[in-house]
Every structure is written in structure tokens, then in C-alpha cells.
Amino acid sequence: MMRQPRRSPHDSYETETTDHQTETETILLKHLPLSPDSPSPLQRDSHLQFLIRNLIQGFPSRYISQDASQPWLLYWTLQSFSVMGVALDPNNKQKAIDTIMAWQHPDGGFGGGPGQAAHLLPTYAAVCALAIVGRPGPGGGWDQIDREKMYKFFMSIKQSDGAFLVAHHAEVDVRGTYCLLVTVHLLNMLTPELLEGIPGFIMSCQTYEGGFSSASQPYFSAEPEGPILLDSPRPPLGEAHGGYTFCSLASWVMLQPYLALQKPSLQRPSLNFKTLLRWLVQMQGSEIELGGFRGRTNKLVDGCYSWWVGGCFALLSSLGIVGAHGRDDNHQSSTAHEEDESWDDIDDSLWDRAALQRYILCAGQHPAGGLRDKPPKAADSYHTLYCLAGLSAAQHNVFLSSTRQDAIVHGWRTPVESKHEQLRQACFSHSLSWTEEEGTSRVLGAQNNRMNATHPVFNLTMTHTEGMMAHFYKQTIPSRPKKT
Amino acid sequence: MDLPAEEEQPLYSQRPEWADVVPLEQYESVAPLAPIFYTDEYRDATNYFRGIVKSDEMSPRVLELTENIIRQNPGHYSAWQYRYKTLMALKSPLDDELQLMDELAIKHLKTYQVWHHRRLLVQQTRNPGPELEFIANSLQVDTKNYHTWSYRQWILAYFNDDALWSHELDFVEKMLESDVRNNSAWHHRFFVVFQSGVRNGDEDRDAVVRRELAFVKERIAIAPNNASAWNYLRGVLDHAKMPYCELQAFVLPYSLPQPPLDTPPEVVDLESPLPSKDAQLPCVAAVEFMADIHEAAGGGDLVKATELWKSLANEHDTIRKRYWEFRIAESLKTKSAGDG
């Protein structure tokens, strides 16, 4: 029987924050499993039915509030299927492609629905959905994307401080940066002019707590040659937040090849990884919160942060923060591990992966299907994906393999003469060198709880990522070595 | 006047004054996957919206139509975007528009677009004062709304007006009096004090740092198990490049269990307010802080740091066991690398 965990202390000084916290802990206590290693099993079929119902029958009218997020609804559904190892049948795949292409804006980019203005977030969701269901050729979606117009759209919303508006007359925030970077990586649209200034913007979003805010405020000095962006002040707008932190960190990872081509590493600007790691680790809830993640200091745990925060550790690891998620390439073991080997022997992550799995399985699953923020909330497709992707991140060690990267570079088919071509090749090989470390997956509970691994930056499977990128870069990707 | 949402309005397809507009269905030749079951009102309004977008119409009736849509779906960013362009094209009175936005906000339109629209309007009206009041009222209900707080920060930074800044510390103090654990308020304080340049009266940066340290220590004393306050303390020290050991006398009692009831009271040290008698000690953040002090001292002190990290890993903060063990391992690496 699991020992009843300690309540969070409130020092006999209660405020609204502790009221909410106490209420949540009382509810979560009811979901504590009888044994820590036997959490509620993942109800795959139930979650699939939840997703399929919405996909085929349609969404109830309360989803009018999501009418400008139709690409998201589809991507959350399709990627959830992918993480669970399920694919659409050919008929529905074609329907999906046709639906997605109706969202493309005549002036480039995708909107939240047909005729809606182009916007970076639906563009990411539409392109990722196409990575899952699309293909080359007529009617396949991929070749009907107008990449030239999309590029013009991106340059038209680029700001002088390195940020992007998410759409014309819309807000700046780092989610836009992330969505744009993933899109240009998948569709082979990277240029130095597009990337200029982005690293500085991301750095300016890190707060004193170590996580990242939504955006920052630029100040300019008036010079005869034109306004110059000041280094200071350049305050972050909004406190450190899990969603914005994921977008900032994933963007930073994507920018590594660009930064390497710009300057030698000693002169390169950087983030404060010490405070970032501390903040990420602090976001994990305690045992009474079943080890779920919160998104901000002194707020409540929520299933979606399983991905936004839980997914950050693999990204940190790839930047050389040794052990953040587990082994890096240097420690890759060539021997398979035994099934009954102690979890601790091979999990050298800096966070509690078993506890996160426990949260998702015991508190995240809705009894009627789908996954959720926390009990007793209703399930929705957003939380379904990010709980399942978080489960995947907690189960698998996906790392940047230099061996894999070398193999991809070796197979590059076109001469690398210009700086632009160097950038494309570097980003291509970097994006595709994520590898699931064999023998180190740790699934809490039955093997049926096991999810497919996902690309830590893009949140697509490696297979879908490779398929799309091979097409748009016109390269062949060497097959992965056979599993031992 | 405010038109109640319940009042029955005929569909646009039934209004003669809209007869010249060709409504456009959302999906023309595609039977979409994952359709949404729209209400008749929503389908009708958005069909007409697509119609006027196609013809590029910017007229007063478009304002009525876009208002109708955003009442039904406040997340419809294209309707907001088109509304803004129409307001600009018509040179509409923006104070009236702000008043309408106030009413919509009261009806719980909490999406990001509501706030962004205000941002666009206030960039035109150049009258940010009433906005700060509006934001303060909003925050009474929704004390940690991310969009609301970042909008407030944007107003202050963008207009950069001393008169606007002058009330901010009072505002933050009130919010923290109401809930000392409101991390959004702590972040706002850091923004106001340290990330917005130097204003008249605050030129003595050392005095500002001392003031902030005194402020946060008082708040820690009231309720020590408050991660927001400790993060703020670290933030101030990091910003001022002050070594953590300067706070050792203050932090130490928080890292130890409550003394027995018959312990004679300490001499009051204004620099080091003691934890309240009800505080649940040791407080995890204080133990961590002491470990950081010992780690920075190096040499023989690393043993003390290790002991504290072990107590966190095994007793006080077990969920973060792996992280505390990582800190132990890292400090040993530095030791063997750095010692002569």
C-alpha cells in the first residue's frame, strides 16, 4: 500500500494559492494507486474511441470556440493515433488531406479554417498533420503547399527584434517562433535571412526564475542610420511558463546548426542552463500531486505539462547538459538490458520519469475515454495528445546521435558550396539524428502502456519526420541500423 | 447600448439589408474530416463574414457582423483582425470601441484576442492610464491571468511614462498582501524594479537592492514554504551579482527544524526576520539555499553541501532525488577538477 504522501505545507497562512492547492491534493489523493509500480492500465481502446468519435462523427457545438483551430484539432488527433501506433485507413487519410488543403491561404500559409487569415500556429499544425497523412504527387497535399508564398508570408511578419507576429495585426510570442522554425525545417525553407535575430529574441525571454516568458519588449535607440535594438532593457513579458519554455528551448535546439555556422562557440551567446534546469525540475509536483508537472511556480499540476515541461529534458540533454534526460551518445550501451533490471540502474535522468507516468495513468485518464488536465475535468483532444506525448517522453530516451548524424551527412547528394546550402544540410542532419536509445525504455506498469517514441522537437514520429524531409530536401535517408 | 445576446436577431440570410452580400460556405468542394456541429447562428454569421472578406468590404455593418462573431467565438482571430482593419478604415471612435471591449470582457471573453485588440487600440488612442485601472479590476477576479499581466507589463514598457510607473510598487504590494504566493505578482515586481531601466529616485541601485532584499525577507518570514519568494530572492542576488553567503544569517533558521517551545527568544535582528512560530520547518528552499552557499565556499564546505542535498534527496524533497544527487556528483567533479 502506498504510504499516504505529505501535504504541501502552508505555514498556517492560507491564501488563494494554498486553497486551490489543498483542494487539488484532496482530489488527487483519491487517485493514488494501491501500489506504485501498478498504476491504472492505459485504456487504449477507450482513448481511441474518444478520438475517432470526434474525427468521424464530428465535434459537438461547444467546439465552436475551436473553430479557428481546426488544424490543431486534426493534428492533436492524428499525432495521438501515431503515438499509440495507429494509422488512418486510406479513405480517411485522403479526406484528411483534402480538408487540410482547404485551410491553405491564397497568399501563403495556413489559417484556422477555410478562408481564415494565415497564422503561424495553424500552419505548424497543418504541416505536421500533412507529415502524418500526406504524400508526394497530385492529391497528396505535400506538393500542393505553396512554399514560395508561405516564405513571403513569414518574412512579412518578421520583426526587427527577431520575433514574429503570429499573423498580421496579431500578437508576438515565442510559440510563433517555434511553429515557424518547425515548419521551415520540415519543408526545406531555411535561410539565414529568416533566422537572423531569432537567438537574441529567445534569450531575452528567459526570466529570473530560469524558465521562459511569452515574449520580450524591445527598446530602440534612434541613430542616423536607423533605429538600433538595445541589449538592455529588454524585459520578458509574463512569468516563466511551461508552454513558452518548451517553445523557446525547442527553438534554441533547432538554431544550434545556425549558431555554429555563425560564430565559434566561445563567442556564442547562450542561455542560463543552470537556472533553467532548476526551474524545470522545480515544476514537477510532489508525491501527493502524483508527480505531474505544473506550468508555473505556485500553480496547479496539469497533464499537458507532461509534454511541455517533461519534454524539455531531452532537449536540454541534446545541448550538452549531461544527464538531464539520461545518457547521451557517448554512453550509448551496446549491450541490451535485462527486463528485470532495476529502473535506477539505467535511468540517470534528473527528473522522476516513473512518477510522471504514474500521474498520467492514474490521474490523466478520463474513465469515459480521452485524457485530461486533472480529475475531475473533462477530456479533450489537446490534453489527450500532450498527456500521451508526455508519457512517451517519460518512457523513452531519445537523444541526438552523432553516429546517425554522420551517416546522414555522408549520404547527402548535392554539393555543399554556399553558406545557405551548408545551413540546409546542417539543419537536415541535425533534425534527423534523434534516435531512440535501445534497451533503456522504461514503461511503468504493463507493456500495453508503451507509447511510440516521438521526435523531441517536432512532436511527430521519426518515421513521419523522415518521410516528409526526405521529400522536401530531395535526399535519401540511410535506413537505421537493425535493432539488436 | 448593449444588445443582450439573448435577444432574437434574424439570421443575416433573412435580413434585406444584407441581400447584396453573397454568403460563402466554409467548405465548398470538400466533405471535411472532423467537422464541428455549428449552430445556425454561427454558420450564418461566418458565411456572411466570408462573403464580405471576399469583396473587401469595410463598413459599419461589418463592425456589427464581426461583433456578432466574436461574441459567439472570441477565439476567431480573423474576425478580430478584420474588425481592426475596418475600425482603422472607417476612422471609428476608438474610445467607444474600448468601452465595448470592457463590456465584452465582463461577459467573460477571456481569450488572448480580447487583450491583443485592446493593445492595438491603445497604441492608437495613446491613453494608457485607464487601461491600468481596467487591468487591476480584471486581476481581482482572475489573479494570475497570463495575458492580463503581460499586457500590463507591455503597457508600462511601451509607453515608458514615469507617471504610469509611479504606482506600480504599490499595486504589486497590494496584490502580494492579498496572496503572497502569487508568482505573477512577484514576476511583475522584478520587471518593475530591475528590468525597466532606471527612473528618477531609483538611481542608487545598491539602495534598491537592499530595499528588495528587506521586502522579500519579510515575506519569507510570514510564510516560508513559498517558492515564489525564494525564486525572487535568488533573482535579486543573481541580478546584483551578490554571493548567496551574504544571506546566510537570515536563511539558516529556515533550514532547521523549529526550535523547542521553551527555547529563549532570539534577539531581534532587523536584517534577519525569523520564521513565524507556525512555519513548517525546515523549509526545502532554505535547505537548498544553504547547500548552494556551502557549494560556493568549496573546499571542506562541500561535505556540508552534500549532507544537505542528501537530506533533500532522502527526506525533505524526495521527488527531486535525482536532481539532488546530480548536484552532489557535480560538486565532486568541480572539487577534483579545481583543487590544486
Side-chain angles (χ1 to χ4, degrees):
Chain A
M1 180 89 187
M2 264 185 97
R3 187 171 48 94
Q4 177 158 118
R6 230 173 3 189
R7 291 248 182 200
S8 301
H10 53 63
D11 302 321
S12 296
Y13 188 89
E14 285 156 64
T15 62
E16 188 182 84
T17 297
T18 47
D19 290 342
H20 289 146
Q21 181 66 25
T22 305
E23 189 187 332
T24 298
E25 287 176 5
T26 303
I27 293 170
L28 287 175
L29 260 180
K30 300 193 204 132
H31 294 262
L32 209 61
L34 287 174
S35 151
D37 295 320
S38 301
S40 316
L42 184 71
Q43 303 292 335
R44 270 176 197 270
D45 287 341
S46 176
H47 304 320
L48 283 170
Q49 283 315 306
F50 171 81
L51 293 167
I52 288 168
R53 244 188 343 258
N54 288 333
L55 191 69
I56 307 301
Q57 284 175 29
F59 288 86
S61 55
R62 67 175 181 275
Y63 275 82
I64 281 174
S65 63
Q66 302 298 307
D67 185 42
S69 299
Q70 293 177 50
W72 281 115
L73 292 173
L74 190 59
Y75 164 70
W76 293 330
T77 302
L78 293 176
Q79 180 56 9
S80 293
F81 287 152
S82 304
V83 172
M84 286 195 278
V86 164
L88 281 191
D89 60 276
N91 272 344
N92 278 313
K93 255 195 192 177
Q94 191 58 52
K95 257 192 146 182
I97 295 169
D98 298 338
T99 306
I100 295 165
M101 295 320 293
W103 302 328
Q104 184 167 223
H105 194 274
D107 298 331
F110 288 80
Q116 292 183 31
H119 190 298
L120 291 179
L121 277 59
T123 298
Y124 161 88
V127 170
C128 285
L130 281 176
I132 299 170
V133 295
R135 59 176 195 280
W142 291 3
D143 295 331
Q144 291 82 57
I145 301 172
D146 191 329
R147 290 155 65 247
E148 280 72 36
K149 289 216 173 109
M150 189 187 281
Y151 187 84
K152 285 204 175 74
F153 169 61
F154 290 164
M155 288 305 291
S156 78
I157 47 177
K158 188 176 169 65
Q159 305 298 293
S160 53
D161 67 340
F164 291 88
L165 305 181
V166 293
H168 293 139
H169 300 300
E171 66 266 25
V172 161
D173 84 44
V174 74
R175 294 171 308 162
T177 303
Y178 168 76
C179 289
L180 183 148
L181 285 174
V182 174
T183 302
V184 300
H185 272 73
L186 290 174
L187 300 184
N188 186 16
M189 291 165 62
L190 284 152
T191 65
E193 80 169 337
L194 190 62
L195 301 187
E196 201 192 329
I198 301 182
F201 172 71
I202 294 172
M203 284 171 59
S204 70
C205 294
Q206 188 168 24
T207 78
Y208 67 90
E209 290 195 275
F212 290 73
S213 66
S214 61
S216 62
Q217 181 63 22
Y219 285 90
F220 299 91
S221 73
E223 302 293 324
E225 314 83 42
I228 292 188
L229 178 68
L230 294 171
D231 279 339
S232 173
R234 200 171 175 184
L237 300 174
E239 66 200 290
H241 179 293
Y244 298 124
T245 299
F246 176 85
C247 290
S248 298
L249 190 55
S251 296
W252 191 259
V253 168
M254 284 187 273
L255 290 166
Q256 289 309 294
Y258 170 73
L259 285 170
L261 287 171
Q262 298 278 294
K263 284 184 163 115
S265 55
L266 284 174
Q267 287 173 37
R268 243 186 277 162
S270 200
L271 308 175
N272 186 330
F273 292 113
K274 190 156 170 261
T275 56
L276 173 57
L277 176 62
R278 177 181 184 270
W279 183 84
L280 289 170
V281 158
Q282 291 288 334
M283 288 300 102
Q284 186 155 28
S286 59
E287 284 86 353
I288 198 165
E289 296 171 290
L290 270 75
F293 278 95
R294 66 187 90 257
R296 306 186 241 168
T297 306
N298 270 329
K299 290 210 73 180
L300 302 172
V301 293
D302 176 336
C304 67
Y305 296 114
S306 308
W307 173 258
W308 301 127
V309 183
C312 278
F313 293 95
L315 299 175
L316 255 194
S317 260
S318 80
L319 294 167
I321 315 303
V322 176
H325 186 73
R327 273 164 243 255
D328 60 19
D329 203 15
N330 298 331
H331 294 110
Q332 187 178 16
S333 174
S334 55
T335 59
H337 290 275
E338 297 299 319
E339 279 291 305
D340 57 357
E341 193 163 1
S342 156
W343 186 297
D344 288 342
D345 288 350
I346 51 139
D347 178 14
D348 44 12
S349 322
L350 298 187
W351 58 295
D352 194 331
R353 290 158 62 178
L356 179 62
Q357 295 189 46
R358 203 169 291 126
Y359 180 87
I360 295 165
L361 294 167
C362 300
Q365 297 192 83
H366 192 287
L371 292 103
R372 61 190 168 186
D373 164 0
K374 61 171 73 66
K377 294 195 180 181
D380 60 60
S381 30
Y382 165 83
H383 283 94
T384 298
L385 173 60
Y386 294 110
C387 281
L388 293 177
L391 187 60
S392 172
Q395 290 175 347
H396 305 297
N397 188 18
V398 184
F399 70 102
L400 272 186
S401 162
S402 50
T403 318
R404 180 74 180 141
Q405 184 156 19
D406 290 343
I408 291 168
V409 170
H410 189 71
W412 187 261
R413 286 153 76 180
T414 40
V416 183
E417 280 144 3
S418 62
K419 270 241 174 296
H420 183 184
E421 191 72 2
Q422 268 186 303
L423 177 66
R424 290 175 61 242
Q425 183 200 63
C427 291
F428 179 82
S429 58
H430 188 250
S431 304
L432 294 173
S433 57
W434 289 96
T435 301
E436 191 186 330
E437 188 184 4
E438 284 210 43
T440 64
S441 298
R442 267 323 185 224
V443 175
L444 189 75
Q447 279 302 305
N448 186 56
N449 297 345
R450 186 192 176 100
M451 296 285 95
N452 281 340
T454 126
H455 191 289
V457 174
F458 302 157
N459 198 0
L460 292 169
T461 62
M462 250 63 76
T463 308
H464 289 141
T465 307
E466 286 172 3
M468 186 170 244
M469 289 183 78
H471 175 70
F472 282 98
Y473 287 74
K474 301 191 183 30
Q475 302 288 334
T476 37
I477 298 171
S479 48
R480 291 185 185 262
K482 290 250 181 290
K483 290 189 199 251
T484 49
Chain B
M1 267 317 283
D2 179 34
L3 279 174
E6 305 77 37
E7 188 179 291
E8 284 297 313
Q9 284 267 7
L11 299 179
Y12 290 94
S13 58
Q14 277 146 20
R15 295 192 219 177
E17 66 274 22
W18 283 87
D20 59 303
V21 174
V22 178
L24 297 172
E25 289 291 330
Q26 183 178 210
Y27 288 97
E28 281 154 6
S29 47
V30 172
L33 208 54
I36 296 172
F37 285 105
Y38 302 112
T39 57
D40 290 338
E41 289 77 18
Y42 189 81
R43 177 179 291 107
D44 172 70
T46 49
N47 283 351
Y48 276 81
F49 177 68
R50 280 181 279 276
I52 56 97
V53 167
K54 182 153 187 195
S55 62
D56 234 343
E57 180 181 331
M58 293 200 180
S59 63
R61 69 179 177 175
V62 164
L63 290 181
E64 194 251 298
L65 175 61
T66 50
E67 183 185 332
N68 186 318
I69 292 172
I70 63 190
R71 282 178 185 276
Q72 295 186 68
N73 176 15
H76 200 304
Y77 66 87
S78 303
W80 284 103
Q81 187 198 76
Y82 203 85
R83 182 181 181 82
Y84 177 72
K85 294 202 287 202
T86 304
L87 288 166
M88 293 297 109
L90 297 179
K91 300 191 186 345
S92 298
L94 297 182
D95 287 323
D96 291 355
E97 179 71 1
L98 270 168
Q99 210 180 329
L100 175 66
M101 290 301 118
D102 289 359
E103 289 165 25
L104 293 189
I106 293 164
K107 285 184 201 293
H108 308 298
L109 292 191
K110 292 252 162 81
T111 59
Y112 189 80
Q113 286 78 22
V114 180
W115 293 100
H116 186 68
H117 194 67
R118 297 189 80 94
R119 195 186 287 211
L120 293 174
L121 298 175
V122 87
Q123 279 178 286
Q124 298 292 321
T125 64
R126 318 296 298 179
N127 185 23
E131 285 302 281
L132 291 183
E133 201 188 312
F134 177 80
I135 292 167
N137 289 334
S138 245
L139 286 174
Q140 287 309 301
V141 181
D142 197 359
T143 57
K144 299 182 183 180
N145 187 305
Y146 198 93
H147 307 314
T148 315
W149 279 103
S150 50
Y151 179 53
R152 193 179 184 92
Q153 282 143 31
W154 175 81
I155 294 239
L156 292 163
Y158 180 82
F159 289 98
N160 202 12
D161 178 324
D162 278 1
L164 292 183
W165 286 112
S166 62
H167 302 299
E168 278 315 282
L169 279 189
D170 282 343
F171 174 72
V172 169
E173 273 189 53
K174 281 204 190 64
M175 294 299 292
L176 288 175
E177 255 165 70
S178 174
D179 185 351
V180 72
R181 301 176 177 96
N182 186 332
N183 199 65
S184 312
W186 283 103
H187 175 89
H188 192 74
R189 191 178 177 99
F190 197 91
F191 164 81
V192 169
V193 176
F194 294 115
Q195 296 177 309
S196 49
V198 179
R199 288 179 290 282
N200 290 338
D202 287 329
E203 294 87 346
D204 184 347
R205 301 314 283 167
D206 289 342
V208 168
V209 169
R210 282 195 303 274
R211 179 193 74 204
E212 291 306 300
L213 289 177
F215 181 87
V216 69
K217 285 193 263 183
E218 289 290 327
R219 299 303 167 295
I220 288 175
I222 295 169
N225 287 283
N226 176 7
S228 296
W230 289 95
N231 288 357
Y232 190 82
L233 174 60
R234 289 170 163 267
V236 173
L237 295 172
D238 293 345
H239 177 86
K241 299 194 186 0
M242 265 178 79
Y244 286 16
C245 58
E246 292 200 26
L247 275 283
Q248 181 160 0
F250 165 70
V251 175
L252 182 61
Y254 294 85
S255 69
L256 301 169
Q258 283 278 10
L261 286 168
D262 55 359
T263 311
E266 297 275 336
V267 173
V268 171
D269 174 2
L270 291 173
E271 290 278 306
S272 302
L274 287 169
S276 83
K277 283 282 161 262
D278 296 316
Q280 289 163 265
L281 301 180
C283 136
V284 168
V287 175
E288 178 191 15
F289 198 99
M290 292 303 299
D292 286 344
I293 291 176
H294 295 311
E295 183 189 31
D301 274 36
L302 286 180
V303 173
K304 295 186 203 170
T306 297
E307 267 163 35
L308 292 175
W309 284 322
K310 278 201 176 128
S311 76
L312 289 170
N314 299 323
E315 198 187 333
H316 304 303
D317 196 26
T318 51
I319 195 79
R320 271 165 277 281
K321 182 180 169 73
R322 296 165 185 305
Y323 175 70
W324 302 124
E325 289 172 349
F326 167 74
R327 297 297 303 274
I328 294 171
E330 288 290 289
S331 71
L332 294 174
K333 267 191 224 163
T334 322
K335 176 184 172 158
S336 49
D339 285 353

